[in-house]
Amino acid sequence: MSLTTEPGRRSWLLRLVIAFSFAQGAVSMARPAVSYRALALGADERAVGVIAGVYALLPLFAAVPLGRRTDHGRCAPLLPIGVVLIAGGCALSGTADSLAAMAAWSGVMGLGHLSFVIGAQSIVARQSAPAEQDRNFGHFTIGASLGQLVGPIVAGALIGGPDLGSTSALALLVAAAVAAVSFTSLWRIEHPRTTTGAAAPAGPRVPVGRILRTRGVPGGIFISLAVLSATDILTAYLPVVGEHRGIAPSVVGLLLSLRAAATIACRLVMTPLIDWLGRAALITATCLLAAMLCAGIALPVPVWALGAILVLLGFCLGVGQPLSMTTVVQAAPADARSTALALRLTGNRLGQVAAPASAGLIAGVAGTAAPFVMLGGLLMVAAALGFRGSGGKRPEGPRRTARATTTSPAPAADAPTDKGA
């Protein structure tokens, strides 16, 4: 179903995808640029891992408070705040002249990305009926994939030559400008009736412990953590692998973009895949295959084979994020969905802190390819959780989604509002 149909109800999703594309594109440009700039400033593999981990450190503490606020308030204000922090973090990383300063501004960039994503995901959850959530979250994450597709190509085109420090700084400044373009789409995204319904608290706050004990929530959080850790370490460490194997930055950028293109392709066919396999089986199969592909990156394969591995890996990794969003939203209490999504993002950021730091330690001891073997193990655990069926307790979901595309969406857009999402 096209995002441009039924503009009175669907144009908010199109604008959200556009804004997310530019915001994510800026981050996807900045992450490899930060790695190259850190290398130019004298960082080793461990220092690159630490800087990549700091990107997630501030969000680790901010996610739940932001989710609590969003459960009983408006979501849209978080979007421009996030864009300002992303743009500022990119620009200041480009002008930093020490590894400590780069780590600090990388953390600001991560906080901005978190703010944007919590606001955006909460809008999708509120303004989508349960039967539409797989589809709408899939469309929403296409924005991330578009940014991940274009960002590394632009970064790779800008970075290179004898002065790696200057070219990586230029890429970071360009990333700041790209983030600012998101402002052009941040208008009338949040439906007024949804905002009114969400502003009135339905009761006392649901304890975090109760949310985490809800069936489906822990599994969804871990699957998301594993998939995002794989994407994050690919972005941060493929440049390091490229340096050791003699692969040019422009080729590394192209390889990362091939992965993102495959992720977009996956999300465009998400609904028929769920109809065919079911949510739990789809998560299990793709995480298992992704685990084997991550381990394959550790092998000294030629560039064309590495490209093929990354295309298949991108397709598999495209499943986990949108389906884990639906799993968490549908499992969580109705008046704590934004908090549940924030807990999912907290898990993501915990993975982004621990996984790159662990990868840096492993790379320092066992070589630059070893972190990808670690990712393979993490995705194997995610496949096991998918097999246990936390995402498959609603097998009727895909069929309901298919029917929803042929009916009027007017009641669906307001349905979550009544539940205080």
Side-chain angles (χ1 to χ4, degrees), residues 152-405:
I153 290 179
V154 177
L158 293 173
I159 300 169
D163 192 354
L164 198 61
S166 296
T167 56
S168 58
L170 174 63
L172 286 164
L173 294 175
V174 172
V178 170
V181 178
S182 298
F183 282 116
T184 61
S185 295
L186 297 180
W187 51 277
R188 297 181 62 187
I189 283 179
E190 190 168 18
H191 196 281
R193 290 178 62 184
T194 302
T195 302
T196 302
R205 290 180 173 181
V206 179
V208 169
R210 177 185 160 194
I211 299 172
L212 291 174
R213 289 193 299 270
T214 303
R215 176 178 171 82
V217 172
I221 289 174
F222 187 87
I223 290 167
S224 179
L225 180 156
V227 170
L228 187 65
S229 294
T231 303
D232 204 54
I233 290 180
L234 272 174
T235 303
Y237 268 85
L238 202 61
V240 179
V241 172
E243 282 289 297
H244 281 259
R245 297 186 186 177
I247 302 173
S250 58
V251 177
V252 171
L254 178 61
L255 291 173
L256 289 172
S257 295
L258 285 174
R259 181 209 62 78
T263 297
I264 294 173
C266 170
R267 288 167 180 169
L268 288 173
V269 297
M270 183 80 69
T271 299
L273 285 175
I274 297 171
D275 285 336
W276 179 38
L277 294 173
R279 189 181 300 149
L282 184 58
I283 290 174
T284 301
T286 53
C287 285
L288 186 61
L289 182 55
M292 294 185 286
L293 291 168
C294 277
I297 295 176
L299 301 175
V301 296
V303 173
W304 67 265
L306 185 60
I309 289 173
L310 288 171
V311 167
L312 292 173
L313 183 58
F315 191 91
C316 293
L317 294 178
V319 170
Q321 291 291 76
L323 295 195
S324 68
M325 292 178 202
T326 305
T327 298
V328 169
V329 165
Q330 293 187 356
D335 55 349
R337 289 174 178 160
S338 291
T339 303
L341 285 170
L343 287 169
R344 173 185 167 278
L345 289 171
T346 300
N348 287 352
R349 295 309 189 260
L350 181 62
Q352 286 182 300
V353 170
S358 301
L361 292 174
I362 293 172
V365 173
T368 57
F372 297 103
V373 177
M374 178 194 76
L375 284 179
L378 198 64
L379 288 164
M380 289 288 287
V381 177
L385 288 173
F387 182 75
R388 291 180 63 183
S390 63
K393 62 180 181 178
R394 294 177 178 83
E396 74 283 5
R399 291 186 291 273
R400 291 171 60 200
T401 301
R403 289 198 302 268
T405 61

